[in-house]
Amino acid sequence: MPDMTTDPLLQPYQLKHLTLRNRVMSTAHEPAYSEDGLPKDRYRLYHLEKARGGIALTMTAGSALVSRDSPAAFGNLLAYRDEIVPWLKRLTDDCHEAGAAVMIQITHLGRRTNWNHSDWLPVLAPSPVREPAHRAFPKAAEDWDIDRIVTDYADAAERMQAAGLDGIELEAYGHLMDQFWSPATNLRDDDYGGTLDNRLRFTWRVLEAIRKRVGADFITGIRMVADEDWEKGLSREEGVEIARRLAASGQVDFLNIIRGHLETDAALSKIIPIHGMASAPHLDFAGEIRAETRFPVFHAARIADVATARHAIAEGKLDMVGMTRAHIADPHIARKVMENREDDIRPCVGATYCLDRIYDGHEALCIHNPATGREATMPHVLRPSDEPALRAVVVGAGPAGLEAARVLGERGHEVTVFEAASEAGGQVRLAARSPRRRELIGIVDWRLAQCAKHDVTFRYNLLAEASDIAAENPDLVIIATGGWPNTEFLDEGSDLVVSSWDILSGDAPVGSNVLLFDDNGGHPGLQAAELIATAGSSLEIVTPERFFAAEIGGLNHVPYARAFIEAQSRITINSRLMSVRRDGNRLLAAIGSDYSDRIDWRRVDQVVVEHGTLPLDDIYFAMKPGSRNLGVVDYRQLIDGGDVLPNANPGASYRLFRIGDAVSSRNIHAAIYDALRLCKDL
């Protein structure tokens, strides 16, 4: 068991008058759980779960907006509204009761937003330099703009203090404050441009206004870029000098260090690395800032595991270590460390499904923890069933089946899993065969370990039939057999194509001249395309979408785009594969469009298609007539909670349900969510 007196992560930290119970924090991010720009129950419960999980500090908002002409880009909280105070106070009080401190990040987004929603006010920045990621052409801030925004910061800080928060953090990484700092975005020739003193003038005005309003004791920090890693941006030399000046100013109490710039998806991915990229890439840099300033330093950037976090504290690189995406995967990290249960921590696998959803205008969801963001209805901690143990059979050991087995096992039921393959994992194991995405196997490995702790029985290499299931005399049967690639959608030539699965598994050798048709727009097709491109083959990707890879978010798009550009692959949008026929020893592919009757032809060696999956549901329909519920699911009860399997056939001995791709072609999160919400109350 870890010694709480010596484990670096479990040591308290004194920040001014505030004692933080350990060194673990979640840095500011916007999960887009707000309602009307306010942190209502969904938002509160998300942060409360982390507080109950033992975290020392949860930083809310990413970021809360101080001005109306900084319209929400990520579902942001609205710090300019007085109505935010009681909601934040309830959140803060609840987290305090659970032992965690609460702060909030406030900002003006500057050019990092768009004008065509909310109040339709012009986007503002130090200079009219466009940010490609958000596409607005900003107006240059006038003197009266600067004056009012300084006041807006002070007003917002006062609201946060009134809500009982432990402190605030100003955002200076890609937002208005550091847009003034950076030579790339500040082209002014007045008192706010040119020299470093001038570029810092807005920052000093904001800090002075805040201190006059909230006093010297209210904790105020800054999340700042100390090196934009950009030829035309803020240099390390100037960034470190800004950090030194802030540390010496007496106006701020901590620095939260960032390295890089974020005006494009490619640049942002270096700040927020995904799987296949380096772990903790900027930790040493943050440590250098701490050494040079001798000032409290926080930092987060893909610090996903306890060992790295412990190293960061033990080696004096950080005072507080941010494990932000890791807490989206498992909000109970600190408590599990305290209880000597590190092996029970649900791993962050770096998929970054969470942030890609935010940047696409949705709420944050973890790829394999469907309770995150659904704390009102989905449990992070499962309780044992109050009813007698069920004999459950789960058919299929992909993500849906593994989650069903885990949940039922933790509930105290007797679970047997049948799997046709020689090992568990299904499509996840297939995806993890690509070196860049191998961390996805953590989704499988964690569930297998949890199942082992609850005596779940696995029977591999068994293509289950109804008689195999009946022999177990089950009370509950869950069909999680997944799907099979759908290649039967062409007018002609379905027998001549291979699926993306065939490429990923190696069952089909890669051709030298390949056409890949993808109207699914998710990882399977792109992953197969990446494999083809990096193999040196000539590749054309064809999609009927009006933009490429519709289901892939910006951060995950980056490595795919890089691979295709470097391989000089061709990408054709607004086009649809119609048919394939033989042409000697090659194939002739007909390419049509939804917008024209024109048909073009491609002569290639291989055609790969990605059109989702069709459910492998024979065993479900074989079992359905003998089930007590006849396969019926009460969707209202499934959503609201209750008995989801009605007693439609009272004489039968077992209830039957199917989940994941055995129902329809979806994704990993959907499969795992299916399993959790079905099994959590059984």
Side-chain angles (χ1 to χ4, degrees), residues 346-638:
R346 188 187 311 236
C348 174
V349 297
T352 316
Y353 184 65
C354 49
L355 292 183
D356 271 346
R357 285 182 57 85
I358 295 170
Y359 291 131
D360 280 349
H362 306 296
E363 82 274 48
L365 295 173
C366 175
I367 193 171
H368 77 127
N369 186 353
T372 294
R374 298 187 179 102
E375 283 77 11
T377 56
M378 296 294 122
H380 286 276
V381 178
L382 294 158
R383 58 177 179 79
S385 174
D386 297 327
E387 301 297 327
L390 298 173
R391 289 176 58 86
V393 171
V394 178
V395 185
L402 287 174
E403 178 71 352
R406 177 191 77 87
V407 174
L408 291 170
E410 289 198 32
R411 294 274 288 154
H413 301 303
E414 181 182 337
V415 185
T416 299
V417 181
F418 294 155
E419 168 55 44
S422 60
E423 51 189 352
Q427 291 185 58
V428 173
R429 186 169 293 277
L430 185 63
R433 292 184 64 163
S434 294
R436 191 176 62 75
R437 304 194 75 209
R438 63 187 174 191
E439 290 171 67
L440 289 176
I441 204 63
I443 296 170
V444 176
D445 290 346
W446 181 77
R447 284 174 171 78
L448 287 173
Q450 297 301 306
C451 285
K453 289 184 177 183
H454 295 92
D455 299 321
V456 173
T457 299
F458 284 84
R459 297 184 186 172
Y460 294 108
N461 298 307
L462 176 61
L463 186 61
E465 298 182 357
S467 58
D468 299 306
I469 298 172
E472 298 296 319
N473 193 26
D475 303 301
L476 174 69
V477 177
I478 297 178
I479 305 300
T481 43
W484 192 252
N486 181 4
T487 60
E488 300 292 330
F489 61 93
L490 299 175
D491 295 338
E492 175 188 0
S494 294
D495 58 320
L496 301 177
V497 306
V498 299
S499 72
S500 58
W501 287 25
D502 293 323
I503 298 296
L504 293 173
S505 66
D507 289 346
V510 175
S512 60
N513 186 343
V514 183
L515 184 145
L516 187 147
F517 175 70
D518 181 5
D519 65 351
N520 188 6
H523 282 286
L526 289 192
Q527 210 171 329
E530 183 180 22
L531 190 154
I532 294 165
T534 55
S537 300
S538 174
L539 170 66
E540 179 182 5
I541 304 170
V542 175
T543 176
E545 307 288 352
R546 69 178 186 272
F547 56 90
F548 180 60
E551 297 299 320
I552 298 290
L555 290 167
N556 272 281
H557 178 84
V558 171
Y560 290 124
R562 182 181 296 116
F564 301 146
I565 290 169
E566 290 179 353
Q568 297 184 321
S569 303
R570 179 180 177 184
I571 298 172
T572 303
I573 63 171
N574 295 330
S575 299
R576 187 179 295 280
L577 178 65
M578 308 300 290
S579 64
V580 179
R581 65 181 65 161
R582 291 200 180 278
D583 182 35
N585 61 354
R586 305 190 77 192
L587 299 174
L588 201 59
I591 306 297
S593 171
D594 299 337
Y595 309 100
S596 168
D597 294 331
R598 175 190 172 104
I599 298 293
D600 291 317
W601 298 90
R602 304 284 196 274
R603 185 173 284 103
V604 295
D605 300 317
Q606 185 177 54
V607 176
V608 182
V609 298
E610 172 53 49
H611 186 68
T613 60
L614 291 172
L616 289 168
D617 53 13
D618 289 352
I619 190 67
Y620 167 78
F621 284 104
M623 299 296 296
K624 180 178 173 180
S627 65
R628 194 187 310 168
N629 61 310
L630 298 177
V632 175
V633 180
D634 187 326
Y635 278 178
R636 170 177 273 184
Q637 297 284 67
L638 180 69

Side-chain angles (χ1 to χ4, degrees), residues 113-128:
T113 186
N114 213 312
W115 50 266
N116 60 358
H117 60 92
S118 302
D119 296 308
W120 285 66
L121 295 172
V123 170
L124 173 146
S127 301

Side-chain angles (χ1 to χ4, degrees), residues 66-80:
V66 301
S67 303
R68 294 194 74 108
D69 68 334
S70 176
F74 316 106
N76 307 64
L77 298 182
L78 305 181
Y80 58 77

Side-chain angles (χ1 to χ4, degrees), residues 54-73:
I55 203 168
L57 169 62
T58 187
M59 186 78 75
T60 62
S63 310
L65 305 172
V66 301
S67 303
R68 294 194 74 108
D69 68 334
S70 176

